[in-house]
Amino acid sequence: MAESNFVDYVKIYCRSGKGGRGSMHLHRAKYQPNGGPDGGDGGRGGHVYLRGNHNYWTLLHLRYERHVFAGHGGNGSKCCSHGSDGEDKYIDVPLGTVAYDAETGKYICDVTEDGQLVMLLKGGRGGLGNKQFCTATNQTPRYAQPGEPMQEMMVILELKLLADVGLVGFPNAGKSTLLSSLSSARPKIANYPFTTLEPSLGIVPYREGRSFVMADIPGIIEGASEGKGLGLRFLRHIERNSLLLFMVPGDTEHIKREYEILLEELAKFNPGMLDKHRILAVTKCDLLDEELMEMLREELPDDLPVVFISAVTGLGLDKLKDALWAELNSESNKLQAISEGGQITHRDREVRDFSADFADWQDDSLEDVEEDDLDEYEIEYLDDDV
């Protein structure tokens, strides 16, 4: 997986800019020996934003950019000159990216729209110059404010593909073959388990110029929710799908049993997946005759639609697209949003796996970070010899 260009998990260190120091200056000019205070305010520190960008589809561009530093605010100066504001930093992410606090696992935000801006860290406010403290009873203030300190945070970014239909099945169930038959996607297809090593998206055309997006993830095996196989890493990509298409080969001994195993693994990973609409597709039906398909139909679950298909011969594909479109547009089928109070639960094991890769970097990441030796709103007094 290290050679893959599909990166759906990164951990980065973000730091906003600190505010600039206010100026303590007394105006001095010829014929104006007592010009009074004219110290300007400091500029604000730069903010750190997440920005949705539809031109990205993975987090690969952030794998080698693990430090994001916003600019510091400039200091104020004489003649009431305001310090420059720090440069804001924008982290472009693909649509469907979710951000979490790496320390607490708390949910921060969800980027789902192109151009959407979410402020991760706020830059510090600039300190006030001594001109701001001038009053009728204090006409020559000899102090100014420092700027507010910067903020810093370790952020986990997870990508969850945005698709209408998610394909769920064991390895070699025909998911990639179906995606290549219904769309222009060309995933790798071979006759061995785990041919698909990364998720694939395809746009499926429908009648009258309509279409929907279908996502293919690596095959799930029994025990995937406990870390077996590749299912645990990629199951998050079907959390966003509004409809799940379960695929079981027709030559399987117990189709209903395999469907129940898949459903159980989804329930262990995220119980909320059981609330999604589901369709069962019996694949590789070109190997079955009509009599055998009728016998299998009696053994299949009665609580969901069942379609017999063959991606090779095209059997039942039009009927499958009709069923998918009907379920997608039903009133009871709505895409559920992520709760803001959500925490990282099923990701704990995955975070531990990735923490080993980042351990060396984390130890050295803060060594070059500038320390802020100023307390918030600390007052600086002018030395007597100034």
Side-chain angles (χ1 to χ4, degrees), residues 95-205:
L95 306 186
T97 301
V98 185
Y100 299 93
D101 188 332
E103 298 296 331
T104 63
K106 183 179 179 181
Y107 166 85
I108 299 176
C109 65
D110 182 11
V111 181
T112 58
E113 298 179 2
D114 184 41
Q116 177 182 351
L117 281 179
V118 178
M119 182 184 293
L120 279 182
L121 297 175
K122 185 178 181 180
R125 291 181 297 179
L128 299 178
N130 65 338
K131 177 66 175 178
Q132 300 286 355
F133 299 100
C134 184
T135 63
T137 58
N138 185 17
Q139 298 184 5
T140 312
R142 295 172 177 262
Y143 49 83
Q145 282 183 341
E148 284 187 346
M150 56 195 174
Q151 299 179 4
E152 56 186 7
M153 180 171 55
M154 292 292 297
V155 181
I156 292 177
L157 299 178
E158 284 188 350
L159 173 62
K160 299 181 180 181
L161 294 181
L162 293 175
D164 300 310
V165 180
L167 303 182
V168 183
F170 286 99
N172 279 2
K175 301 185 298 297
S176 298
T177 305
L178 177 64
L179 183 65
S180 64
S181 299
L182 295 181
S183 69
S184 298
R186 292 295 175 262
K188 184 178 180 181
I189 300 173
N191 190 23
Y192 56 84
F194 295 111
T195 306
T196 301
L197 296 178
E198 60 188 40
S200 300
L201 287 178
I203 299 178
V204 180

Side-chain angles (χ1 to χ4, degrees), residues 166-175 216-221 238 245-249 258 262:
L167 303 182
V168 183
F170 286 99
N172 279 2
K175 301 185 298 297
D216 173 26
I217 67 168
I220 302 173
I221 63 174
I238 59 176
L245 177 60
F246 288 80
M247 301 182 62
V248 181
E258 286 203 2
L262 293 171

Side-chain angles (χ1 to χ4, degrees), residues 81-362:
S81 297
H82 195 285
S84 60
D85 292 338
E87 179 186 3
D88 296 334
K89 281 293 184 179
Y90 296 88
I91 305 175
D92 288 323
V93 295
L95 306 186
T97 301
V98 185
Y100 299 93
D101 188 332
E103 298 296 331
T104 63
K106 183 179 179 181
Y107 166 85
I108 299 176
C109 65
D110 182 11
V111 181
T112 58
E113 298 179 2
D114 184 41
Q116 177 182 351
L117 281 179
V118 178
M119 182 184 293
L120 279 182
L121 297 175
K122 185 178 181 180
R125 291 181 297 179
L128 299 178
N130 65 338
K131 177 66 175 178
Q132 300 286 355
F133 299 100
C134 184
T135 63
T137 58
N138 185 17
Q139 298 184 5
T140 312
R142 295 172 177 262
Y143 49 83
Q145 282 183 341
E148 284 187 346
M150 56 195 174
Q151 299 179 4
E152 56 186 7
M153 180 171 55
M154 292 292 297
V155 181
I156 292 177
L157 299 178
E158 284 188 350
L159 173 62
K160 299 181 180 181
L161 294 181
L162 293 175
D164 300 310
V165 180
L167 303 182
V168 183
F170 286 99
N172 279 2
K175 301 185 298 297
S176 298
T177 305
L178 177 64
L179 183 65
S180 64
S181 299
L182 295 181
S183 69
S184 298
R186 292 295 175 262
K188 184 178 180 181
I189 300 173
N191 190 23
Y192 56 84
F194 295 111
T195 306
T196 301
L197 296 178
E198 60 188 40
S200 300
L201 287 178
I203 299 178
V204 180
Y206 194 61
R207 297 187 180 95
E208 300 178 359
R210 295 171 292 184
S211 62
F212 56 88
V213 181
M214 181 176 288
D216 173 26
I217 67 168
I220 302 173
I221 63 174
E222 188 172 3
S225 59
E226 301 173 358
K228 296 181 181 179
L230 300 176
L232 177 66
R233 178 173 180 183
F234 296 108
L235 277 176
R236 76 166 74 98
H237 293 295
I238 59 176
E239 285 184 316
R240 297 291 184 82
N241 306 148
S242 56
L243 176 63
L244 300 181
L245 177 60
F246 288 80
M247 301 182 62
V248 181
D251 56 357
T252 304
E253 294 184 4
H254 302 287
I255 297 179
K256 184 177 180 180
R257 174 56 183 162
E258 286 203 2
Y259 165 73
E260 292 174 348
I261 293 175
L262 293 171
L263 202 61
E264 182 179 357
E265 293 301 324
L266 296 185
K268 290 180 180 178
F269 177 77
N270 186 354
M273 288 190 178
L274 299 182
D275 298 332
K276 297 180 180 293
H277 285 215
R278 303 186 293 271
I279 294 179
L280 176 60
V282 181
T283 64
K284 305 180 181 180
C285 289
D286 54 313
L287 305 176
L288 309 177
D289 54 19
E290 292 292 338
E291 182 179 355
L292 186 56
M293 283 191 286
E294 290 297 330
M295 294 175 58
L296 292 176
R297 194 181 300 273
E298 298 177 357
E299 303 175 359
L300 297 178
D302 299 329
D303 57 342
L304 77 165
V306 179
V307 183
F308 289 86
I309 64 171
S310 172
V312 176
T313 63
L315 173 66
L317 294 186
D318 291 337
K319 184 177 180 181
L320 175 63
K321 290 195 290 186
D322 292 339
L324 293 175
W325 187 262
E327 288 291 335
L328 287 173
N329 291 275
S330 61
E331 291 295 331
S332 58
N333 190 21
K334 300 295 182 182
L335 186 61
Q336 297 182 355
I338 290 182
S339 172
E340 294 187 1
Q343 301 258 342
I344 298 181
T345 55
H346 56 272
R347 303 172 181 81
D348 292 341
R349 186 183 299 104
E350 189 170 340
V351 170
R352 289 196 298 269
D353 295 340
F354 276 91
S355 61
D357 299 335
F358 291 95
D360 297 336
W361 163 68
Q362 287 179 336

